[in-house]
Structures are given as C-alpha cells and as structure tokens.
C-alpha cells in the first residue's frame, strides 16, 4: 500500500475522488501498459477462470436462450489499446431490437434522455430482459470477456471499455485510455460503478493508468469480489 500511496493512488482509499481530468502529455507507447508481466497475469487468470466457470457458462447460456428470442452472446464494438476496435463479448442481457426500444422510450421520457446522453446508462433501461437484469447486477453478463482477454483485446484490470463517442468525452485523458487494454474490472468497478459521474469515471481511469503497478491490479481484483457480490451501483 505504501508503494501506491507514494504515487497518489491507493486501491483502499475510499475518500471522494477529484473529477479533474487534466493529464500530462504522453506519447502512446508501442506496448500496452504493464508489458509482459500484466499480460502473463491476464492469461493465467482468464485461462483458469474459463476452465473453472465452464459449468456456469453453460447454465447462463441456457437461461439467456430460453428467456427471450435471440443469440446467446452479444458483441459490441469498443475501442481498445492504441485505438484499435474490437468486439467486446457479453451474455445478451437485452432484447434484440434494443435500438428501437431505446429511441421510443427516450422519446416518451425526455427527462431520461439527459441521463442517457450524460452517462450512457439508464437506471430503468427498457431494453434489459428479466434474466439480463440479474446477470448485469452481478456482472455475470461480462464473463465472456474472459475470451477477449485471451485474445489480447482486453485485460483483467483496466479502464471500462468505451465506444468512440465516449472516448471523445475523455478529452486530454484519451491518450492514457489508449495506452492500455480496457479491463473486465477496474478502479471504476470497485469505486461505486454506476453511482459515479462520468467525470469521476474518467478521473478513475486516469489515476489507474498513471499509478499502475502489478500490485494495484491484484488489489483491484481482490476488491472486485465483494463489489460484485454487493451489486452496489449496478444497472
């Protein structure tokens, strides 16, 4: 902990976070943050988790298939290391005609359009199925991202994967986001999840990259378990 505190970051620090996103200029590195050590940890954890969780994968896949018409998995294009796009895989938690459902809902609830445009999330998302709501509450829908980790698109720990429109909201902090692989979990995940503002999410991602260490990754992984079990801030 002393090591992390010396650079202004502690994964155990529960004090309110500043929302400033001012960062020092930095050139995009040729290799992703953490190099071989971080990548090795990713492969070890993802490979082990996929093996141990295989029965859960089958159970969830069956539940998704029978809960509503459509595919079991959903792949959404996200921005990864260096600006490369990739398909971020999840268990499908929404109806298949989600775009239409969302637009109709926002047209009828203009007050919630502001929430959507500001955070890209809705507390009462009309697209989410019943089984999907349970999967999202406990982050089970994100388990297929372990495959993204093995493919090298993502890391176990990193910034929350974003689409291009969201990356534009990072402003001067965008180069720091692009310097690493987005993560299944991260400092945002263990610091309130959807209870944080978007500026705070950017500040969390910025802090994570600037103060990265293998130890901080391990701490965040350990803190993810109670954060997921409590389902606090999930929607």
């Amino acid at each position: 902990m002393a090591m992390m505190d010396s650079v202004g970051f502690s994964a155990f620090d529960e004090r309110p976070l500043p929302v400033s996103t001012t960062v020092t200029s930095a050139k995009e590195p040729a290799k992703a943050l953490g190099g071989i050590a971080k990548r090795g940890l990713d492969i070890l954890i993802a490979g082990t988790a996929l093996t141990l969780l295989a029965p859960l994968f089958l159970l969830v896949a069956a539940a998704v298939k029978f809960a509503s018409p459509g595919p079991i998995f959903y792949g959404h294009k996200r921005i990864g290391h260096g600006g490369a796009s990739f398909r971020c895989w999840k268990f499908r938690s929404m109806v298949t005609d989600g775009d239409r459902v969302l637009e109709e809902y926002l047209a009828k609830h203009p007050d919630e359009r502001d929430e959507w445009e500001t955070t890209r999330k809705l507390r009462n998302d009309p697209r989410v199925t019943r089984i999907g709501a349970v999967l999202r509450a406990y982050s089970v829908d994100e388990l297929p991202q372990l495959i993204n980790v093995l493919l090298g698109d993502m890391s176990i720990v990193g910034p929350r994967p974003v689409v291009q429109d969201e990356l534009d909201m990072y402003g001067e902090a965008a180069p720091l986001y692009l310097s690493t692989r987005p993560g299944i979990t991260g400092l945002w995940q263990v610091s309130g999840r959807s209870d944080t503002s978007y500026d705070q999410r950017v500040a969390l991602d910025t802090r994570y990259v600037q103060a990265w260490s293998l130890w901080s990754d391990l701490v965040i992984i350990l803190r993810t378990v109670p954060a997921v079990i409590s389902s606090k801030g999930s929607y």
Side-chain angles (χ1 to χ4, degrees), residues 66-127:
F66 289 108
S68 66
I72 294 171
F73 300 103
Y74 174 73
H76 197 277
K77 187 176 290 187
R78 302 284 169 158
I79 303 300
H81 172 240
S85 63
F86 68 97
R87 288 285 177 184
C88 181
W89 294 104
K90 294 185 177 185
F91 283 116
R92 183 174 59 84
S93 62
M94 296 184 177
V95 294
T96 53
D97 56 345
D99 290 341
R100 178 189 63 79
V101 172
L102 178 62
E103 279 305 314
E104 291 180 354
Y105 181 81
L106 293 178
K108 295 177 181 178
H109 302 82
D111 54 320
E112 296 196 38
R113 183 177 290 276
D114 290 338
E115 178 187 354
W116 169 253
E117 292 179 350
T118 301
T119 67
R120 295 293 175 176
K121 284 181 173 289
L122 292 173
R123 289 189 177 275
N124 300 303
D125 197 320
R127 301 169 296 172

Side-chain angles (χ1 to χ4, degrees), residues 131-218:
I131 185 66
V134 176
L135 298 181
R136 289 158 69 97
Y138 297 99
S139 299
V140 176
D141 63 316
E142 298 180 0
L143 288 179
Q145 290 172 20
L146 291 167
I147 298 173
N148 283 119
V149 173
L150 288 183
L151 292 174
D153 298 324
M154 295 180 64
S155 178
I156 296 295
V157 183
R160 177 175 172 268
V162 300
V163 299
Q164 184 60 55
D165 288 348
E166 290 181 277
L167 183 60
D168 294 341
M169 297 171 68
Y170 274 63
E172 294 179 349
L176 292 182
Y177 173 90
L178 297 173
S179 71
T180 186
R181 297 181 179 93
I184 296 178
T185 187
L187 190 54
W188 170 80
Q189 178 91 0
V190 300
S191 301
R193 299 167 80 176
S194 295
D195 287 340
T196 58
S197 69
Y198 210 97
D199 283 345
Q200 285 176 317
R201 293 184 211 175
V202 174
L204 287 163
D205 287 345
T206 299
R207 178 184 296 184
Y208 168 76
V209 174
Q210 291 180 320
W212 179 84
S213 71
L214 202 59
W215 171 246
S216 68
D217 271 10
L218 292 172

